[in-house]
Amino acid sequence: MTLLRTPHADGTARGIPDATVARLPLYLRALNVLAEQGVATCSSNDLAESAGVNPAKLRKDLSHLGSYGTRGVGYDVEYLRYQIAREIGQTQDWDVVIVGVGNLGSALSAYQGFSTRGIRVAALVDADPKRVGTTISGITVSAVDDLDTIIRERAISIGIIATPGAAAQHVADRLVAAGITSILNFAPALVHVPDGVDVRKVDLSIELQILAYHEQRKSGAQTRGTA
C-alpha cells in the first residue's frame, strides 16, 4: 500500500493510505451538501451516513489528517471542509490536458463538475487531423505533435487519456516524457508508467459488466424464489 505524503504544520511529512485518500472526496462532497443546508456542525455518525461509509472508518480516515473533531460537539463543517480540500489539492486550480476528443473526450471537456473541484481543462489534443483546429467546449483542439510544448508551456501536471486502447500506452509515454506526473486513464487498456507517476484507471465497460453480474444474480435469486 502506498501513502500520500502531506506535511505537518512543522514541515515534516505524514502518510495517508491510498484507501483513505480515495474516500476524502466523498467526505468533502457530503460536507459541501451540509454547508449548503446551513449545517454548522455535524457528528461523525451524520457525516458517515451522508458519505455512505462506516462511522468508525470515517473517524479513522480523519485521524490521518489531524484532530478536527470535538467530543460531544462533532466537526465544524466549514473548518473540516477546508482541511480536506487542502489535503486533496482543491484549494488551488489544477490544469489538465485531455488526449483524445472523440465522444468520451468531448463529454469530459464539457463536464461542469471539474471546475467546482479545482480542475480546469486547459488543453485538448487529438491525433485526427479532422479534429485538430476545431473548437470543443470553447477550447481549440491541438495536434498530438504539440503535446510536449503544451504541457511544458502551461505547466500541466495532470493528463487524461480518452483514446482507443491501442493508443493508450503511446499516449502515456508521451505524457510522462513531457512532465506529466498524474494520469487518469479512460482507455480500455492498462498503461505502464515509471515510479513517481500516479495512474487512476476508469473502465466504464467493466463497471457496467459488474452491474450486469449483480443484476443476473438478483434475477437468478428471484427465479429460485418463485420456483
Side-chain angles (χ1 to χ4, degrees):
M1 177 174 62
T2 58
L3 300 177
L4 173 66
R5 296 291 174 182
T6 55
H8 284 295
D10 61 6
T12 59
R14 66 165 175 262
I16 300 179
D18 285 346
T20 295
V21 174
R23 288 188 289 269
L24 291 181
L26 300 179
Y27 304 150
L28 182 58
R29 181 172 61 189
L31 287 164
N32 287 337
V33 172
L34 291 173
E36 290 171 359
Q37 294 173 345
V39 177
T41 60
C42 66
S43 68
S44 58
N45 287 345
D46 290 339
L47 181 54
E49 182 178 357
S50 298
V53 302
N54 180 279
K57 181 176 293 184
L58 177 138
R59 288 191 290 269
K60 183 176 181 180
D61 286 342
L62 294 184
S63 71
H64 291 291
L65 277 64
S67 299
Y68 298 126
T70 302
R71 184 177 297 275
V73 177
Y75 298 103
D76 182 295
V77 171
E78 283 296 339
Y79 184 64
L80 187 57
R81 280 176 75 192
Y82 172 77
Q83 295 299 335
I84 294 178
R86 184 182 65 175
E87 291 287 353
I88 61 178
Q90 289 195 16
T91 53
Q92 68 181 87
D93 289 333
W94 297 91
D95 286 346
V96 305
V97 56
I98 298 177
V99 182
V101 290
N103 292 335
L104 179 57
S106 297
L108 290 171
S109 71
Y111 179 53
Q112 297 298 314
F114 286 149
S115 60
T116 61
R117 292 168 174 80
I119 302 297
R120 179 172 53 211
V121 178
L124 302 175
V125 174
D126 202 277
D128 187 347
K130 295 180 181 178
R131 290 178 178 150
V132 174
T134 62
T135 300
I136 298 176
S137 302
I139 302 173
T140 301
V141 179
S142 300
V144 71
D145 288 342
D146 297 328
L147 183 59
D148 297 26
T149 300
I150 290 170
I151 291 172
R152 292 192 176 102
E153 288 184 348
R154 305 186 188 184
I156 298 173
S157 57
I158 301 175
I160 298 177
I161 301 176
T163 66
Q169 185 61 58
H170 175 68
V171 170
D173 292 341
R174 291 283 302 269
L175 290 172
V176 171
I180 291 292
T181 52
S182 294
I183 296 173
L184 181 59
N185 179 25
F186 282 93
L190 293 175
V191 297
H192 302 281
V193 298
D195 291 342
V197 177
D198 294 305
V199 176
R200 299 285 296 181
K201 177 159 178 55
V202 180
D203 193 319
L204 300 178
S205 62
I206 287 180
E207 297 301 325
L208 287 171
Q209 287 172 334
I210 292 172
L211 289 175
Y213 162 78
H214 288 296
E215 285 301 313
Q216 179 175 273
R217 283 179 60 90
K218 286 185 283 188
S219 297
Q222 291 172 355
T223 301
R224 290 192 295 273
T226 58

